């Protein structure tokens, strides 16, 4: 965790919210930035880590511009594609995936497997795996007020730990041996 946070420039005590996305618009990166700004306004040292290349250089440049407009450039980390992805998961506290469409969203299961509590949308197939309120949250991506409240709840380390443990327990049921044999 310490090495991963240092690599991405995320303070040790910050709440690191992870996005893994190649299509920033579809996955809700801009909305995630709004949430980080709101959390910071109430004193939560929230940082957004966006692991993914975007759909191109123009989309990454727009994302940097969005962060600047929201006044969160220093709390937004856009390293591009991260290989192996486990480095990004290691730096994070929460996994945010409010996608408007994802047939399954394998990345949600990966996050759960690393012990991160996920917050995803009902339009992500992986939402069916989440024990709502115990192993993560499923929220309509248009309901930014509820997303904010859920992220604020997840700023509590004890809650994140309990939910992350439950998320990992669920993810362990879906290993390669049982799903790709």
């Amino acid at each position: 965790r310490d090495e991963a946070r240092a690599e991405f420039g995320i303070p040790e005590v910050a709440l690191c919210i992870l996005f893994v996305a190649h299509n920033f618009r579809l996955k809700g990166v801009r909305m995630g930035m709004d949430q980080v700004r709101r959390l910071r306004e109430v004193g939560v040292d929230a940082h957004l880590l966006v692991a993914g290349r975007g759909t191109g250089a123009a989309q990454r440049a727009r994302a940097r511009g969005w962060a600047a407009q929201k006044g969160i450039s220093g709390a937004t980390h856009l390293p591009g594609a991260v290989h192996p992805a486990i480095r990004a998961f290691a730096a994070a506290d929460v996994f945010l995936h409010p996608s408007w469409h994802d047939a399954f969203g394998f990345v949600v299961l990966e996050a759960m497997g690393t012990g991160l509590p996920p917050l995803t949308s009902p339009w992500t197939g992986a939402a069916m795996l989440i024990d709502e309120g115990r192993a993560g949250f499923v929220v309509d991506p248009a309901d930014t007020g509820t997303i904010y409240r859920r992220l604020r709840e997840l700023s509590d380390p004890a809650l994140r730990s309990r939910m992350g443990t439950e998320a990992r327990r669920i993810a362990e049921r879906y290993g390669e041996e049982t799903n790709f044999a």
Side-chain angles (χ1 to χ4, degrees):
R1 175 182 165 92
D2 293 343
E3 285 179 31
R5 286 201 170 213
E7 175 183 351
F8 299 116
I10 299 165
E12 182 182 326
V13 297
L15 173 68
C16 180
I17 300 167
L18 174 64
F19 257 92
V20 176
H22 293 304
N23 184 329
F24 293 175
R25 190 171 138 242
L26 179 67
K27 304 301 180 181
V29 170
R30 190 172 190 169
M31 185 274 298
M33 290 179 181
D34 286 333
Q35 300 303 325
V36 166
R37 179 191 47 78
R38 289 180 71 189
L39 289 165
R40 293 179 72 79
E41 285 173 353
V42 297
V44 176
D45 185 15
H47 284 247
L48 185 68
L49 174 59
V50 182
R53 67 183 184 279
T55 55
Q59 192 176 60
R60 286 190 307 277
R62 275 193 303 276
R64 283 189 294 276
W66 297 335
Q69 287 172 350
K70 295 171 191 313
I72 60 166
S73 292
T76 302
H77 310 270
L78 298 155
V82 175
H83 299 287
I86 193 69
R87 292 181 7 241
F89 290 115
D93 296 304
V94 175
F95 185 69
L96 183 58
H97 190 74
S99 180
W100 287 97
H101 171 75
D102 218 325
F104 179 73
F106 191 72
V107 70
V108 175
L109 183 59
E110 291 173 328
M112 292 171 72
T114 65
L116 292 178
L119 191 157
T120 193
S121 80
W123 296 284
T124 299
M128 68 183 180
L129 302 178
I130 296 171
D131 184 356
E132 175 69 23
R134 291 193 52 204
F137 295 112
V138 179
V139 179
D140 183 326
D143 187 353
T144 58
T146 299
I147 292 171
Y148 167 74
R149 285 189 298 280
R150 294 303 192 200
L151 287 171
R152 186 128 185 231
E153 288 176 48
L154 288 167
S155 70
D156 173 20
L159 178 62
R160 285 196 312 271
S161 178
R162 283 192 308 275
M163 289 184 113
T165 297
E166 183 64 15
R168 183 175 173 93
R169 188 187 67 72
I170 290 169
E172 287 173 346
R173 291 189 239 152
Y174 299 95
E176 288 182 34
E177 306 80 34
T178 57
N179 289 289
F180 300 106

